[in-house]
């Protein structure tokens, strides 16, 4: 009779940011092992709290499925030696299958004889394999950071304190780091007690009785409902930022939402400071009125019940008051600073030992930004504002406020710059040049901000590539992938008329002028282009199917905006059945064009009307392509050649005996193919 399987790993509190991935990993590894072990089952449920990871397998079969299969071995000519005896290959196959060569038989497959063997395996009882299987699952778990504790060799995310392992009502004999599995789980650290889990199906309810809500979705739903009740009863708008909600979710086992207040005098500090202090340092949700104005209140989630909740609120208010008092002091002290003095301090802060100080970096940003402004033919006023914004874009890094709240770099720069009389566009660019800060963050809204943002990111990227720091695998300590993605996003959202290689050349030259280029500039340029290719490919992959991505990328992506537009146009075209015939004609051209040895076309050598017609059609299409206002018109220009291409291949022998005639025809096809390659590699398109 099928039984449930339960494994609960109880630990010291685990960092909230690790928990969801760990929970999903445990579920996935359990599913994989059950499949490999041939144990049939119903749903697999995963649970997690700050102190436990749990997996519950419903209705696992009593025994493994039996296996009866026919296994193919080497071909007959390999399986037998010259004397008709079993070869080493055949004997090795027999050993790998756990059978004797006497059990072999021959079968023909696609005209070739192979040796086969019937392999049977009787399934073992599930109870006999569970201990070893679950042990292998736990030892295979990986985490961003592991710990060792006591004298134990085992590494895990946090020290293991208890284990519940059940197959039905039977305890599975497991042991990790001298902790033996049993049927006793632990309740809430302060409100609950130990509880006996007699059978896996009791797990969720038994823990709930001890003030532990193990179901993540249930816990999240309760938190959201409680916060919404507070919002509705007070006419508030409580900003439940997803990442903060996720973190709070894995900080509590029994959630109770509550609110507190702080002195209104703190509202004179920029709201970004207050919000950052609440969210990042205290894990509080800020409160706004319906007009979007910050109110002197906060919402937090307690790991416990409502007992003494007023006292808990006062304790949180006291902690926040101290935080905000510090921020108020730092803000007042920073008002005494001057931008030039702050900039001077940047000369003593090392950015990278091979790339100089932050002061050096700012000067490079200024030079790159100025050349970028010239490259996009910005107006003189924009260039003037860009130059000033680039000159002071990092000054706030030495302020006390940013030292205490690094998340506010740029935000405080904008505030302080305005107070010190800088132009509004300059102040805004200081804030915007860090954008996009993360996935989903918008690009800078102003041209000045966009230019400095790209200059800053380019300096970091090209500087790292210039000294040999190139991300490999998952290693990317300087967040170069994020920087490249940000540049691509800016080019697309701001529609800036500049190519990637132009960006690279500007930054490389600035690095070279500063004598910081430690690698060959062509190698740096090539590596950067390939690195950005993956970012552009990611953008395309979100919009079009994989073969269209490959076709567009093969034609180049130096102009990022144009590459994305080509992708959209091609995606629209491949949805039409008639386009398949058009692509087939393009591919016929490309296949023969590869044989061309010369490029010159002599119209006098054309012998047939069809090749003259194709020549005229190509000239007209080429003209249309060059003048096309958009990618739809560009592709339409090429598609206009389809009929002429078809008639050409139907009536003209390309590989003529006359060498001059043959080469001339191949040259025509080469010219057409080279035009087509500027749009896409049509041979990469796949048809169902």
């Amino acid at each position: 009779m099928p039984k449930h399987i339960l494994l609960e790993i109880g630990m010291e509190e685990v960092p909230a940011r690790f928990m969801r991935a760990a929970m999903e990993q445990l579920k996935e590894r359990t599913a994989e092992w059950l499949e490999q072990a041939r144990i049939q089952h119903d749903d697999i449920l995963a649970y997690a709290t700050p102190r436990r990871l749990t997996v519950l397998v419903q209705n696992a079969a009593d025994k493994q499925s039996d296996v009866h299969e026919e296994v193919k071995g080497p071909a007959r000519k390999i399986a037998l030696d010259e004397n008709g005896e079993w070869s080493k290959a055949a004997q090795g196959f027999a050993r790998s299958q756990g059978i004797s060569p006497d059990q072999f038989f021959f079968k023909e497959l696609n005209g070739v004889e192979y040796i086969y063997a019937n392999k049977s395996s009787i399934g073992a009882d599930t109870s006999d394999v569970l201990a070893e299987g679950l042990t292998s699952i736990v030892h295979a778990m990986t985490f961003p950071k592991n710990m060792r504790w006591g004298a134990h060799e085992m590494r895990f995310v946090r020290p293991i304190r208890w284990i519940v392992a059940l197959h039905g009502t039977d305890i599975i004999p497991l042991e990790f780091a001298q902790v033996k599995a049993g049927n006793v789980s632990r309740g809430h650290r302060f409100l609950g007690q130990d509880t006996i889990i007699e059978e896996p199906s009791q797990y969720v309810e038994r823990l709930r009785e001890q003030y532990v809500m193990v179901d993540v979705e249930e816990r999240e739903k309760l938190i959201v409902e409680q916060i919404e009740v507070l919002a509705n009863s007070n006419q508030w708008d409580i900003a439940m930022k997803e990442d903060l909600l996720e973190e709070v979710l894995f900080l509590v086992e029994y959630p109770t939402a509550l609110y507190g207040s702080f002195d209104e005098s703190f509202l004179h500090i920029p709201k970004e400071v207050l919000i950052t202090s609440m969210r990042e340092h205290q894990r509080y949700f800020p409160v706004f009125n319906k007009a979007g104005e910050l109110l002197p209140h906060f919402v937090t989630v307690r790991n416990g019940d409502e007992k003494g909740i007023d006292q808990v609120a006062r304790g949180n208010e006291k902690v926040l008051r101290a935080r905000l008092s510090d921020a108020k002091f730092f803000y007042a002290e920073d008002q005494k600073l001057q931008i030039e003095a702050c900039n001077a301090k940047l000369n003593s802060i090392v950015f990278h030992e091979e790339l100089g100080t932050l002061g050096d970096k700012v000067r490079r940003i200024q030079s790159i930004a100025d050349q970028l402004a010239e490259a996009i033919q910005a107006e003189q006023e924009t260039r003037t504002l860009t130059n000033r914004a680039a000159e002071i874009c990092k000054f706030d890094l030495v302020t006390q406020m940013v030292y205490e709240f690094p998340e506010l770099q740029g935000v405080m720069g904008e505030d302080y710059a305005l107070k010190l009389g800088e132009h509004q566009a300059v102040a805004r660019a200081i804030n915007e040049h860090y954008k996009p800060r993360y996935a989903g963050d918008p690009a800078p809204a102003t041209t000045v901000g966009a230019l400095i943002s790209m200059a800053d990111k380019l300096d970091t990227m090209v500087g790292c590539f210039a000294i040999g720091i190139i991300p490999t695998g998952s290693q990317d300590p300087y967040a170069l992938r994020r920087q490249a993605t940000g540049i691509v996003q800016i080019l697309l959202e701001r529609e800036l008329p500049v190519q990637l290689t132009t960006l690279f050349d500007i930054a490389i030259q600035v690095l070279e002028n500063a004598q910081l280029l430690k690698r060959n500039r062509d190698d740096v340029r090539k590596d950067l282009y390939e690195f950005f290719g993956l970012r552009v490919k990611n953008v395309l992959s979100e919009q079009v199917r994989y073969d269209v991505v490959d076709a567009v990328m093969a034609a180049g992506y130096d102009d990022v905006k144009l590459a994305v537009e080509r992708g959209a146009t091609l995606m629209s075209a491949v949805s039409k059945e008639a386009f398949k015939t058009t692509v087939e004609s393009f591919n016929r051209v490309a296949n023969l064009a590869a044989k061309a040895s010369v490029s010159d076309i002599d119209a006098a050598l054309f012998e047939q009307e069809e090749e003259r017609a194709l020549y005229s059609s190509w000239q007209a299409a080429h003209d249309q392509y060059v003048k096309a206002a958009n990618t739809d018109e560009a592709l339409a220009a090429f598609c206009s050649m389809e009929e002429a291409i078809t008639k050409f291949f139907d009536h003209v022998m390309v590989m003529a005996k006359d060498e001059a005639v043959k080469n001339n025809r191949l040259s025509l096809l080469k010219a057409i193919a080279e035009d087509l390659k500027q749009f896409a590699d049509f041979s990469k398109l796949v048809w169902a």
Side-chain angles (χ1 to χ4, degrees):
M1 183 177 177
K3 300 175 184 175
H4 293 348
I5 299 169
L6 174 69
L7 174 66
E8 179 192 57
I9 307 167
M11 303 160 284
E12 296 292 344
E13 278 79 356
V14 178
R17 64 185 183 278
F18 296 171
M19 289 305 300
R20 186 174 293 277
M23 178 182 72
E24 292 172 351
Q25 182 188 168
L26 179 59
K27 180 178 179 179
E28 289 168 5
R29 290 188 182 278
T30 301
E32 290 170 2
W33 177 78
L34 288 167
E35 183 178 357
Q36 293 168 3
R38 311 191 311 278
I39 298 174
Q40 295 183 356
H41 57 87
D42 290 341
D43 290 342
I44 300 176
L45 306 176
Y47 305 112
T49 76
R51 303 170 63 209
R52 71 200 75 222
L53 284 169
T54 305
V55 65
L56 193 158
V57 182
Q58 295 183 325
N59 297 318
D62 278 348
K63 63 189 295 286
Q64 297 174 305
S65 301
D66 297 338
V67 174
H68 301 287
E69 59 181 336
E70 208 173 70
V71 186
K72 182 169 74 72
R76 182 184 191 119
K77 62 181 180 181
I78 297 172
L80 296 173
D81 61 21
E82 61 272 13
N83 300 319
E85 302 293 332
W86 295 118
S87 66
K88 290 183 178 179
Q91 293 173 19
F93 173 64
R95 285 194 299 273
S96 70
Q97 301 303 317
I99 60 174
S100 165
D102 297 340
Q103 297 173 259
F104 288 156
F105 59 93
F106 291 100
K107 278 180 66 175
E108 188 176 294
L109 180 66
N110 297 327
V112 179
E113 276 195 302
Y114 294 89
I115 58 171
Y116 281 80
N118 283 322
K119 183 180 178 182
S120 297
S121 177
I122 305 302
D125 289 342
T126 298
S127 57
D128 292 337
V129 299
L130 271 178
E132 182 179 351
L134 295 181
T135 298
S136 68
I137 290 170
V138 174
H139 282 297
M141 293 281 288
T142 58
F143 305 94
K145 290 184 179 180
N146 285 322
M147 288 184 64
R148 285 179 59 185
W149 63 100
H152 309 301
E153 289 298 317
M154 182 177 182
R155 293 176 179 269
F156 211 64
V157 62
R158 285 294 184 269
I160 295 174
R161 296 308 185 204
W162 77 91
I163 303 167
V164 176
L166 295 174
H167 179 213
T169 58
D170 298 326
I171 295 173
I172 304 168
L174 297 178
E175 183 176 332
F176 300 116
Q178 296 182 358
V179 178
K180 292 183 178 180
N183 63 355
V184 179
S185 183
R186 298 185 185 179
H188 189 282
R189 190 180 283 279
F190 306 112
L191 302 176
Q193 300 176 344
D194 290 355
T195 183
I196 296 175
I197 312 297
E198 296 170 345
E199 203 277 328
S201 61
Q202 301 175 348
Y203 179 71
V204 174
E205 191 55 40
R206 285 284 186 271
L207 268 297
R208 186 183 285 110
E209 291 169 359
Q210 300 303 323
Y211 299 92
V212 176
M213 299 179 67
V214 295
D215 189 315
V216 174
E217 291 183 5
E218 180 186 5
R219 206 162 63 241
E220 181 175 9
K221 183 181 178 183
L222 180 60
I223 292 171
V224 172
E225 287 176 352
Q226 291 177 347
I227 293 176
E228 287 178 347
V229 167
L230 290 175
N232 293 334
S233 61
N234 292 284
Q235 296 298 302
W236 290 341
D237 183 3
I238 301 172
M240 283 188 280
K241 199 175 176 185
E242 284 187 14
D243 56 349
L244 178 55
L245 179 61
E246 175 80 356
E247 186 170 4
V248 169
L249 177 62
F250 289 106
L251 287 173
V252 298
E253 291 189 321
Y254 194 80
T256 300
L258 61 124
Y259 76 91
S261 304
F262 57 87
D263 195 291
E264 290 188 17
S265 65
F266 289 120
L267 292 176
H268 297 298
I269 306 172
K271 69 176 182 179
E272 291 83 3
V273 175
L274 303 178
I275 292 171
T276 299
S277 185
M278 285 188 275
R279 279 180 175 162
E280 305 300 329
H281 294 262
Q282 300 304 130
R283 309 301 184 259
Y284 296 163
F285 296 94
V287 175
F288 301 85
N289 62 22
K290 296 302 180 181
E293 298 168 330
L294 186 67
L295 297 176
H297 307 292
F298 64 89
V299 170
T300 186
V301 179
R302 177 193 189 183
N303 183 22
D305 58 11
E306 293 188 357
K307 185 177 180 180
I309 203 160
D310 291 340
Q311 187 176 350
V312 173
R314 287 194 296 273
N316 280 277
E317 289 172 347
K318 184 177 179 181
V319 172
L320 183 60
R321 189 184 309 118
R323 278 279 184 189
L324 298 186
S325 294
D326 287 345
K328 187 176 182 180
F329 172 77
F330 297 145
Y331 188 63
E333 287 297 299
D334 285 344
Q335 306 306 306
K336 303 172 184 177
L337 298 173
Q338 294 298 314
I339 291 177
E340 286 68 25
C342 291
N343 256 6
K345 291 181 180 179
L346 296 176
N347 292 317
S348 60
I349 302 174
V350 175
F351 168 63
H352 186 281
E353 58 183 2
E354 294 186 63
L355 297 173
T357 66
L358 277 176
D360 296 325
K361 178 177 177 60
V362 167
R363 286 183 282 276
R364 293 195 300 270
I365 291 172
Q366 196 173 2
S367 179
I368 294 170
D370 183 61
Q371 294 180 62
L372 290 179
E374 182 180 359
I376 68 168
Q377 299 180 335
E379 296 178 355
Q380 185 56 48
E381 182 185 10
T382 299
R383 293 189 64 175
T384 301
L385 293 170
T386 298
N387 187 272
R388 176 57 178 168
E391 182 184 4
I392 65 174
C393 66
K394 302 290 185 184
F395 86 91
D396 64 331
L397 295 184
V398 300
T399 62
Q400 294 191 58
M401 188 67 83
V402 173
Y403 181 82
E404 180 69 14
F405 303 103
E407 305 89 348
L408 294 176
Q409 59 183 6
V411 174
M412 301 316 303
E414 178 178 9
D415 184 81
Y416 294 157
L418 284 173
K419 283 182 167 56
L420 291 168
E422 294 292 336
H423 192 288
Q424 186 173 5
V426 170
R428 187 174 182 184
I430 294 172
N431 188 356
E432 286 189 334
H433 93 279
Y434 289 102
K435 290 179 172 287
R437 299 171 187 257
Y438 48 83
D441 194 31
T446 66
T447 300
V448 176
L451 290 172
I452 300 173
S453 178
M454 287 201 300
D456 184 17
K457 292 170 174 59
L458 278 169
D459 176 72
T460 300
M461 288 197 64
V462 178
C464 286
F465 274 65
I467 60 176
I469 299 176
I470 303 174
T472 57
S474 61
Q475 299 299 311
D476 188 9
Y478 295 94
L480 301 186
R481 293 186 180 92
R482 179 165 57 82
Q483 309 265 21
T485 299
I487 291 172
V488 169
Q489 183 180 339
I490 292 169
L491 290 173
L492 290 173
E493 290 188 21
R494 296 293 308 165
E495 298 185 353
L496 298 178
V498 61
Q499 297 184 327
L500 287 176
T501 48
T502 301
L503 301 182
F504 304 155
D505 289 342
I506 289 172
I508 288 171
Q509 189 59 55
V510 169
L511 267 291
E512 191 170 44
N513 292 344
Q515 299 182 333
L516 297 174
L517 199 63
K518 305 296 175 64
R519 299 174 62 223
N520 180 279
R521 66 180 297 147
D522 291 336
D523 291 340
V524 173
R525 195 175 190 264
K526 175 177 173 292
D527 289 342
L528 284 165
Y529 189 74
E530 292 176 355
F531 188 75
F532 269 79
L534 294 175
R535 277 45 295 154
V536 177
K537 189 172 184 178
N538 288 341
V539 172
L540 282 167
S541 297
E542 293 174 358
Q543 302 174 18
V544 301
R545 70 191 202 195
Y546 77 97
D547 58 325
V548 174
V549 172
D550 293 341
V552 170
M553 292 295 292
Y557 47 87
D558 201 9
D559 188 325
V560 176
K561 179 174 176 289
L562 183 61
V564 171
E565 289 173 352
R566 285 189 281 118
T569 293
L570 196 55
M571 187 65 190
S572 176
V574 296
S575 65
K576 300 167 185 172
E577 188 62 33
F579 189 61
K580 181 179 180 181
T581 308
T582 306
V583 170
E584 287 171 351
S585 69
F586 290 168
N587 289 340
R588 291 182 74 182
V589 170
N591 291 337
L592 274 173
K595 299 180 180 181
S597 56
V598 294
S599 300
D600 295 335
I601 303 171
D602 185 351
L605 290 174
F606 292 142
E607 296 181 340
Q608 296 177 229
E609 182 57 36
E610 289 79 9
E611 56 187 324
R612 295 189 189 93
L614 178 58
Y615 181 59
S616 298
S617 180
W618 166 65
Q619 286 184 312
H622 180 82
D623 241 15
Q624 284 179 265
Y625 174 71
V626 172
K627 297 175 183 176
N630 53 56
T631 52
D632 289 341
E633 290 183 11
L635 183 59
F638 291 144
C639 291
S640 69
M641 295 188 291
E642 180 186 355
E643 184 179 353
I645 292 171
T646 301
K647 288 182 178 180
F648 175 84
F649 282 117
D650 286 347
H651 297 93
V652 176
M653 174 64 71
V654 178
M655 308 305 281
K657 291 182 180 179
D658 186 315
E659 196 72 15
V661 172
K662 179 188 76 172
N663 287 336
N664 198 53
R665 289 169 178 171
L666 288 173
S667 295
L668 172 58
L669 295 178
K670 182 181 179 182
I672 297 171
E674 287 179 348
D675 271 0
L676 292 171
K677 279 195 300 185
Q678 292 181 51
F679 193 93
D681 182 348
F682 293 95
S683 68
K684 294 188 179 295
L685 296 177
V686 177
W687 306 94

